């Protein structure tokens, strides 16, 4: 990695961070004034009751910070506005809009129910189909390739189904993980650092710099989102982060690497699926509560300790993912 590229990357993450911090100072009081307060589910336990009323939709902080910083980098020719970057931005803001709509309806109805599961999945699939069309129009390949493992599978039309699964699955995995202060944000920042480095090394400079911008913006948001959180990202933020993660993995042809880098998100999602399966088949719970972070809470762990543990695991897996992704 050249000195110029390294300088661009550090500039991107720094400006993204500072912009997010400043926007947080402006937007959190505004969200409070607008009474955009999170309603806490009755199922998560008494430890979370004190969080009732904490402003949500905080994902707008890092979403706007990313947009502003990326715009600055484009107009100053620090980043090339390629078709790949346009596709990533489309996915980012498209899924952010779905999350915003879900959060808005939840607040409007004064409960924890926004869009129905069907409505949310339908909107996610529509944007994912748009992504697939643009991806293929831009010369996207339909083979799953992992050269270090000798894997080259030409999936043809089924690659479209696989792509939809990756995009929607990643989006919802981050959404499920967003249950403790700083958990999803910290894990996302770690994952994006990994994908930033991978993207730069394998030749996707604009994607690498963009994900560094997003990393900085999320890190700035974490100042307000770590325990005790002053603001929650809401579905506005979590759906957008997961979708970008999936889109970056697809465009850089590192879909398998995503499974490693985002393993904590995958495990959280699998815990929910296993819980449902266990209850239906064996008529009892496998975990005390899902997603998995709530199981640790029920065991008596403090949420700060759970978040630290998950961050450390996420960091170790991200480092493994960088090695795998670069040498893929």
């Amino acid at each position: 990695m050249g000195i110029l590229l390294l300088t661009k990357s550090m500039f991107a993450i720094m400006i993204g961070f500072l912009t997010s911090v400043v926007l947080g100072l402006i937007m959190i009081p505004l969200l409070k004034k607008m009474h955009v307060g999170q309603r806490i589910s009755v199922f998560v336990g008494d430890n979370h009751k004190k969080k009732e009323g904490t402003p949500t939709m905080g994902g707008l902080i890092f979403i706007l910070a990313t947009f502003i910083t990326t715009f600055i980098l484009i107009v100053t020719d620090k980043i090339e506005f390629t078709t790949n970057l346009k596709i990533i931005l489309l996915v980012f803001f498209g899924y952010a809009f779905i999350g915003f709509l879900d959060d808005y309806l939840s607040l409007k109805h004064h409960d924890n129910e926004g869009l129905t599961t069907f409505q949310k999945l339908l909107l996610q699939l529509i944007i994912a189909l748009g992504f697939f069309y643009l991806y293929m129009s831009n010369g996207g390949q339909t083979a799953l390739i992992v050269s270090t493992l000798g894997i080259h599978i030409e999936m043809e039309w089924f690659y479209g189904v696989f792509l939809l699964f990756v995009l929607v699955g990643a989006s919802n995995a981050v959404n499920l993980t967003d249950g403790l202060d700083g958990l999803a944000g910290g894990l996302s920042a770690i994952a994006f650092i990994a994908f930033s480095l991978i993207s730069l090394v394998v030749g996707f400079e604009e994607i690498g710099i963009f994900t560094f911008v997003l990393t900085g913006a999320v890190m700035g948001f974490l100042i307000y989102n770590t325990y005790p959180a002053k603001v929650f990202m809401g579905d506005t933020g979590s759906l957008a982060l997961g979708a970008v993660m999936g889109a970056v993995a697809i465009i850089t042809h590192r879909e398998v690497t995503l499974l490693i880098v985002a393993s904590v998100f995958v495990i959280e999602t699998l815990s929910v699926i296993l819980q449902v399966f266990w209850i239906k088949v064996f008529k009892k719970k496998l975990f005390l509560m899902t997603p998995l972070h709530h199981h640790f809470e029920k065991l008596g762990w403090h949420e700060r300790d759970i978040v630290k543990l998950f961050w450390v695991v996420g960091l170790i897996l991200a480092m493994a993912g960088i090695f795998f992704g670069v040498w893929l």
Side-chain angles (χ1 to χ4, degrees):
M1 189 186 300
I3 297 297
L4 179 60
L5 189 53
L6 182 62
T7 303
K8 283 183 182 180
S9 301
M10 294 304 100
F11 180 74
I13 197 169
M14 179 182 67
I15 299 300
F17 174 81
L18 292 174
T19 306
S20 187
V21 171
V22 172
L23 283 175
L25 292 173
I26 297 169
M27 293 187 65
I28 293 174
L30 183 61
L31 290 171
K32 287 181 178 178
K33 188 175 181 179
M34 294 171 64
H35 303 290
V36 184
Q38 177 71 48
R39 296 186 66 86
I40 304 300
S41 171
V42 296
F43 301 107
V44 296
D46 295 334
N47 291 339
H48 290 262
K49 289 299 179 185
K50 59 186 177 183
K51 300 180 182 182
E52 186 86 28
T54 300
T56 186
M57 289 188 179
L60 289 170
I61 294 170
F62 59 77
I63 290 167
L64 290 174
T66 301
F67 172 77
I68 292 168
T69 306
T70 302
F71 178 76
I72 291 171
L73 293 176
I74 290 171
V75 298
T76 57
D77 293 324
K78 297 293 189 298
I79 183 173
E80 188 178 353
F81 196 34
T82 63
T83 302
N84 280 336
L85 182 56
K86 292 174 185 176
I87 294 172
I88 292 290
L89 289 170
L90 170 69
V91 171
F92 187 42
F93 294 117
Y95 276 77
F97 173 75
I98 296 172
F100 177 84
L101 188 59
D102 190 39
D103 287 334
Y104 171 76
L105 291 175
S106 294
L107 293 165
K108 183 180 179 180
H109 297 153
H110 303 289
D111 56 28
N112 237 9
E113 299 297 327
L115 294 169
T116 65
T117 301
F118 174 77
Q119 289 170 334
K120 193 183 295 187
L121 283 174
L122 179 62
L123 289 172
Q124 288 175 317
L125 284 170
I126 289 172
I127 295 175
L129 284 168
F131 169 78
F132 178 59
Y133 172 77
L134 293 172
Y135 171 75
M136 294 306 298
S137 299
N138 193 39
Q141 53 86 27
T142 57
L144 182 64
I145 303 170
V146 188
S147 56
T148 52
L149 300 179
I151 296 174
H152 188 292
I153 304 172
E154 178 54 60
M155 302 177 74
E156 297 182 347
W157 65 268
F158 187 72
Y159 186 77
V161 178
F162 174 70
L163 182 150
L164 297 179
F165 176 79
V166 171
L167 205 60
V168 176
S171 177
N172 286 292
V174 176
N175 184 238
L176 281 172
T177 305
D178 185 31
L180 299 179
D181 296 356
L183 179 58
L187 288 169
S188 295
I190 291 167
F192 283 125
I193 288 174
F195 270 110
S196 297
L197 294 172
I198 292 169
S199 298
L200 292 177
V201 171
V202 300
F204 292 88
E205 179 179 324
E206 77 284 17
I207 302 301
I209 294 175
F210 170 79
T211 45
F212 266 129
V213 170
L214 184 53
T215 299
V218 173
M219 289 171 67
F221 172 74
L222 281 170
I223 289 179
Y224 309 106
N225 182 240
T226 48
Y227 184 88
K230 298 179 180 66
V231 66
F232 299 137
M233 71 170 68
D235 285 6
T236 305
S238 60
L239 290 179
L241 290 177
V244 168
M245 216 175 288
V248 169
I250 292 165
I251 287 177
T252 59
H253 315 305
R254 294 303 185 273
E255 301 94 337
V256 177
T257 302
L258 178 65
L259 286 176
I260 303 172
V261 172
S263 285
V264 176
F265 295 116
V266 174
I267 292 167
E268 288 267 69
T269 304
L270 287 176
S271 72
V272 176
I273 296 171
L274 282 171
Q275 183 84 316
V276 173
F277 173 79
W278 221 260
I279 291 172
K280 287 186 177 295
V281 175
F282 300 106
K283 311 303 180 185
K284 62 179 181 179
K285 293 181 178 180
L286 177 61
F287 303 102
L288 296 176
M289 187 175 179
T290 57
L292 189 61
H293 56 261
H294 287 314
H295 174 78
F296 283 93
E297 275 196 298
K298 293 294 184 181
L299 290 174
W301 286 46
H302 192 282
E303 70 173 278
R304 282 178 299 190
D305 297 324
I306 301 169
V307 171
K308 288 175 186 175
L309 172 64
F310 280 42
W311 281 7
V312 170
V313 173
L315 180 60
I316 293 169
L317 291 167
M319 289 188 290
I322 292 170
F323 178 79
F324 187 81
V326 168
W327 293 99
L328 190 74

